[in-house]
Amino acid sequence: MAETAENVPGGECFHKEVLKYSSEEEARLEREHFWRIVDAFRFYRTHVQDQVKRAERQFLSLPQHHQNLVPTVLTNLARISQCADHNQEVLESIIQNSIHMFENIEYGEREDPRKVRASTFDMDKLKSTIKQFVRDWSEAGHAERDSCYQPIIQEIQRLFPSELYDVSKVSVLVPGAGLGRLAWEIARRGYICQGNEWSFFMLFSSNFVLNRCEQVNSLTLYPWIHQYSNNKKSSDQIRPITFPDVNPQSLPLNSDFSMVAGDFVEVYSDPASWDCVATCFFIDTAHNVIQYVETIWKILKPGGVWINLGPLLYHFENMANELSVELSYEDIRTAMVKLGFHIEVENTSVHTTYTENDCSMLRYVYDCVFFVARKPGELYFNCHEDEEQSNSPRAAKSPRREDTEYPT
């Protein structure tokens, strides 16, 4: 099912629009999925405490004279446990603001209120989501945002400069919006911008930061406590970050900014709907990346542009019972050109990171592809008040699937 979320200044909640009736079974699976992710948020403290207890047992199994050589280990583990307690308080706040986040869809009460042990898969997704707060909404993520988001924003401003266009009528879609910072930054510059996200982990968190956080750096998380390896100093593991580094409610009152939940290729089917599609670390989330390319081609207006930055770390590779076609960038580019795209800007070596721990002894650097591709034809969008039309597509039915949501 597709959920739409209005995140304009002062907006209080998301809106979920169902265009056609779902089956009873689909509704049941949707409800189970929703509560499974809620359970993961609530299980977080127990999960981290289990890890801490294991580390304590391992340390205490050492000979006493070895333990005496590193007397601060148990103290540091106790601090990790305290940090997990604090993280859990933030996660509880996120959940409290997510149970009723959709205006016209309710998921009812938890059928079994007993604490449920979340899967390792879901806990990994939750820990990755916590690190997304660093990337999108903390000062610590500023350099990473500059390397990933700024090239996209600069191209949008180059292609649609305010000196030549009424930017309030230029529509930009950001699939795989994550916690929403890229889409928010585009809207802050006056463009119509809509973010699209599929994962409930991301949707819960983006709803919280966009609609419930107003005071700059008023909240604290400890995102690195799950990393027991490659720490130069014990204190690196328990260092905090504060968020949000800006007030998400500070968009101008006339901003047109929204978030839509659902699968990208299911939600966006209206042809010639968007002036620009901006994808960042997104296209490798596809089961079939050519389907993404076709969808972007379809929904772009004639003359519209697709701006992309990211690697090709295919998310479904080696996953059992999941379709995954791993194409090289060369293959994708060939398909784009055959479909009709004109490649106007291309850089096949842009070095970026993703939710990097800048104090870690192990860091991953992605050698990304950046391109701007245009759908040929005269670019049209309305600049006259008496002919103004909405460029945002309606949401469409988008079924969720178990164990397939991945952070972008």
Side-chain angles (χ1 to χ4, degrees):
M1 302 198 190
E3 304 124 21
T4 28
E6 299 301 327
N7 283 326
V8 295
E12 285 300 312
C13 60
F14 283 37
H15 172 68
K16 183 163 184 171
E17 182 181 2
V18 180
L19 292 185
K20 50 185 175 180
Y21 293 106
S22 59
S23 67
E24 183 177 328
E25 178 68 6
E26 186 180 60
R28 181 185 67 80
L29 291 173
E30 177 90 0
R31 184 168 58 253
E32 288 181 358
H33 181 89
F34 177 91
W35 286 109
R36 196 191 85 199
I37 306 308
V38 171
D39 287 339
F41 274 75
R42 290 175 171 166
F43 186 70
Y44 170 82
R45 178 192 281 113
T46 300
H47 172 77
V48 177
Q49 286 176 344
D50 286 347
Q51 292 180 317
V52 170
K53 290 175 182 177
R54 177 186 177 278
E56 289 175 343
R57 289 194 302 271
Q58 297 280 358
F59 179 74
L60 292 173
S61 71
L62 299 179
Q64 186 62 52
H65 67 283
H66 287 179
Q67 295 181 39
N68 293 340
L69 293 173
V70 278
T72 62
V73 169
L74 292 178
T75 300
N76 192 64
L77 289 173
R79 288 173 179 166
I80 291 173
S81 185
Q82 292 171 354
C83 293
D85 290 342
H86 179 85
N87 284 356
Q88 186 66 64
E89 292 177 5
V90 177
L91 296 177
E92 287 292 342
S93 296
I94 293 173
I95 287 302
Q96 290 171 10
N97 286 281
S98 301
I99 300 300
H100 305 291
M101 64 186 285
F102 304 112
E103 286 181 341
N104 63 336
I105 290 292
E106 291 289 340
Y107 289 98
E109 297 300 323
R110 188 74 170 87
E111 293 180 1
D112 185 352
R114 292 175 296 180
K115 181 176 287 189
V116 177
R117 176 170 287 272
S119 68
T120 300
F121 178 91
D122 284 341
M123 296 317 301
D124 286 344
K125 296 300 120 185
L126 179 56
K127 289 183 284 189
S128 177
T129 302
I130 291 173
K131 291 190 289 187
Q132 289 285 336
F133 281 93
V134 183
R135 175 179 171 87
D136 265 19
W137 295 102
S138 81
E139 181 60 34
H142 188 275
E144 193 166 287
R145 292 193 299 274
D146 277 352
S147 67
C148 294
Y149 297 166
Q150 278 303 118
I152 294 173
I153 294 169
Q154 288 169 0
E155 279 300 313
I156 292 172
Q157 292 180 308
R158 181 184 70 84
L159 294 163
F160 305 102
S162 58
E163 296 83 3
L164 299 178
Y165 299 100
D166 181 353
V167 298
S168 68
K169 295 180 176 64
V170 177
S171 56
V172 182
L173 174 65
V174 181
L179 297 197
R181 183 60 178 265
L182 174 59
W184 185 89
E185 290 287 353
I186 294 170
R188 186 171 70 87
R189 288 160 173 80
Y191 299 91
I192 299 168
C193 194
Q194 184 170 96
N196 166 237
E197 180 56 56
W198 191 85
S199 167
F200 269 137
F201 289 102
M202 297 293 184
L203 291 167
F204 291 171
S205 301
S206 63
N207 174 58
F208 177 73
V209 73
L210 290 167
N211 289 327
R212 293 293 183 266
C213 296
E214 298 183 14
Q215 299 297 319
V216 173
N217 291 328
S218 59
L219 295 168
T220 301
L221 282 170
Y222 298 88
W224 314 117
I225 61 173
H226 323 106
Q227 178 177 322
Y228 286 84
S229 298
N230 289 308
N231 293 307
K232 290 183 178 179
K233 297 187 296 182
S234 297
S235 59
D236 290 341
Q237 192 175 3
I238 57 173
R239 75 187 191 281
I241 63 101
T242 56
F243 75 96
D245 63 319
V246 295
N247 177 7
Q249 299 292 315
S250 64
L251 289 178
L253 292 176
N254 61 348
S255 296
D256 191 340
F257 174 43
S258 60
M259 293 284 285
V260 170
D263 184 88
F264 170 60
V265 298
E266 295 284 345
V267 172
Y268 296 94
S269 58
D270 287 356
S273 302
W274 297 91
D275 297 307
C276 176
V277 175
T279 53
C280 184
F281 278 72
F282 172 69
I283 63 174
D284 54 4
T285 67
H287 292 273
N288 171 11
V289 67
I290 301 301
Q291 190 176 28
Y292 277 10
V293 176
E294 282 187 332
T295 299
I296 293 170
W297 172 267
K298 178 181 179 180
I299 66 176
L300 277 174
K301 296 177 181 181
V305 292
W306 174 17
I307 305 172
N308 175 77
L309 188 150
L312 291 174
L313 181 63
Y314 288 102
H315 287 198
F316 294 97
E317 184 180 3
N318 300 322
M319 283 190 66
N321 304 315
E322 291 290 352
L323 171 68
S324 181
V325 180
E326 296 89 25
L327 299 181
S328 67
Y329 171 64
E330 179 183 39
D331 290 335
I332 296 171
R333 190 187 192 281
T334 298
M336 291 170 59
V337 172
K338 286 184 175 180
L339 197 59
F341 278 110
H342 291 176
I343 310 296
E344 296 186 347
V345 177
E346 186 174 40
N347 184 345
T348 59
S349 186
V350 177
H351 291 179
T352 63
T353 59
Y354 192 87
T355 63
E356 181 186 50
N357 179 354
D358 60 5
C359 289
S360 175
M361 298 169 71
L362 175 64
R363 305 189 196 181
Y364 293 98
V365 176
Y366 292 92
D367 193 16
C368 294
V369 169
F370 176 73
F371 64 74
V372 177
R374 188 179 297 275
K375 179 178 180 178
E378 182 180 357
L379 178 65
Y380 67 92
F381 56 86
N382 210 327
C383 293
H384 302 287
E385 290 295 328
D386 58 343
E387 297 175 357
E388 183 176 345
Q389 297 179 0
S390 172
N391 289 322
S392 298
R394 63 182 185 274
K397 178 173 172 287
S398 176
R400 294 184 180 277
R401 300 178 59 193
E402 293 292 301
D403 296 332
T404 58
E405 72 278 7
Y406 281 78
T408 55

